[in-house]
Structure formats: structure tokens, C-alpha cells
């Protein structure tokens, strides 16, 4: 019977859960915003992991994103050590934090679609009245 998910996917999913808890509980930097981990991409040889984050509850301006990424990348060694304690892996991947703009882009596209539909309805009502 074939496995449904590869080992790297399972490790990435577990890392996502563990990191979400570790960032919330262990990182005490007051400059760090409300970080949500949207995904973890682990390399096949388990040497590197790209962690994709979004920021909730604040403006996604470029300075806030850069500041939060800087804090997380500086804490990567500490987080890696804590992951090693929490997960039973022979070697824990190097952590690389990246901003995931897909959610913000999705919200922008959704608002554009809603605006276009509203404009279409307005023009349809005008045509119906003539």
C-alpha cells in the first residue's frame, strides 16, 4: 500500500504545529507581531526548511514584515534547538523564514471581484430602468 504523504511532508506538518506553539510561547520579543505559519517546505535531504508566515492584526507594510522576519531568523537557532527536543529527528533542518503574501493577495483579489460585481449590478440596474 502506497503512502499518502511523503516523509518530508509529514515532518513539515509536524514542524508547522511545533513552531506555531514555540513562537507563541517561547519568543518573548515585544516587537514580534501575531505570526501565523502558513506552511513549511522541507528539503528532501532534511537539511533546510522554508517556513512561510503571515502577520495578523496589523498592517502588512514592508517595514513590519522585514522586522518580524529579522526577529524570527535571529531566533532560528533557538527554535531549531527547541524543535530538536520536541521532535524525534536525527538532524533538525536549518530554518529559513519567508513572508507568504498569498493571503493578502487573495484578499485584494476578492475585493476587486466584489467591486466588479457591484459595478456590474449597478450598470444592469441602470439598463433595466431605461
Amino acid at each position: 500500500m502506497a503512502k499518502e504523504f511523503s516523509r518530508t511532508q509529514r515532518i513539515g506538518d509536524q514542524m508547522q504545529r511545533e513552531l506555531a506553539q514555540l513562537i507563541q510561547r517561547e519568543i518573548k520579543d515585544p516587537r514580534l507581531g501575531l505570526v501565523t505559519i502558513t506552511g513549511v517546505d522541507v528539503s528532501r535531504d532534511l537539511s533546510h526548511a522554508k517556513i512561510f508566515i503571515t502577520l495578523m492584526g496589523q498592517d502588512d507594510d514592508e517595514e513590519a514584515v522585514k522586522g518580524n522576519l529579522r526577529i524570527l531568523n535571529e531566533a532560528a537557532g533557538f527554535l531549531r534547538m527547541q524543535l530538536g527536543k520536541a521532535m524525534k529527528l536525527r538532524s533538525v533542518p536549518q530554518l529559513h523564514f519567508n513572508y507568504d503574501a498569498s493571503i493578502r493577495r487573495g484578499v485584494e483579489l476578492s475585493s476587486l471581484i466584489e467591486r466588479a460585481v457591484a459595478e456590474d449590478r449597478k450598470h444592469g440596474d441602470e439598463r433595466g430602468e431605461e
Side-chain angles (χ1 to χ4, degrees):
M1 185 171 153
K3 293 182 182 176
E4 196 170 321
F5 298 103
S6 69
R7 181 169 189 255
T8 56
Q9 286 175 318
R10 292 192 310 270
I11 290 172
D13 290 345
Q14 185 179 1
M15 284 179 68
Q16 183 173 351
R17 288 189 299 272
E18 297 289 342
L19 280 170
Q21 291 178 353
L22 286 171
I23 290 171
Q24 182 182 12
R25 293 181 186 157
E26 302 294 331
I27 305 296
K28 303 293 186 201
D29 195 321
R31 299 170 295 165
L32 188 65
L34 183 60
V35 174
T36 302
I37 299 177
T38 58
V40 176
D41 185 22
V42 181
S43 65
R44 287 180 57 99
D45 63 354
L46 302 179
S47 62
H48 296 277
K50 290 182 188 175
I51 296 101
F52 297 97
I53 65 160
T54 59
L55 303 175
M56 299 293 176
Q58 67 184 32
D59 295 331
D60 285 353
D61 65 336
E62 200 169 321
E63 289 301 316
V65 169
K66 284 182 181 178
N68 281 283
L69 285 175
R70 189 178 318 110
I71 292 166
L72 289 171
N73 281 312
E74 287 172 359
F78 170 76
L79 291 170
R80 184 176 180 221
M81 181 185 70
Q82 295 297 320
L83 271 178
K85 292 177 182 177
M87 296 175 66
K88 304 294 185 227
L89 290 176
R90 190 171 293 151
S91 65
V92 180
Q94 293 285 331
L95 305 179
H96 308 281
F97 290 91
N98 300 295
Y99 181 67
D100 182 5
S102 64
I103 292 178
R104 182 180 60 176
R105 184 71 180 137
V107 169
E108 290 172 1
L109 290 174
S110 180
S111 68
L112 284 173
I113 291 169
E114 287 174 10
R115 196 175 323 144
V117 168
E119 286 288 321
D120 202 29
R121 282 190 188 131
K122 188 172 97 176
H123 291 304
D125 289 345
E126 290 173 0
R127 279 188 226 120
E129 293 174 3
E130 293 177 2

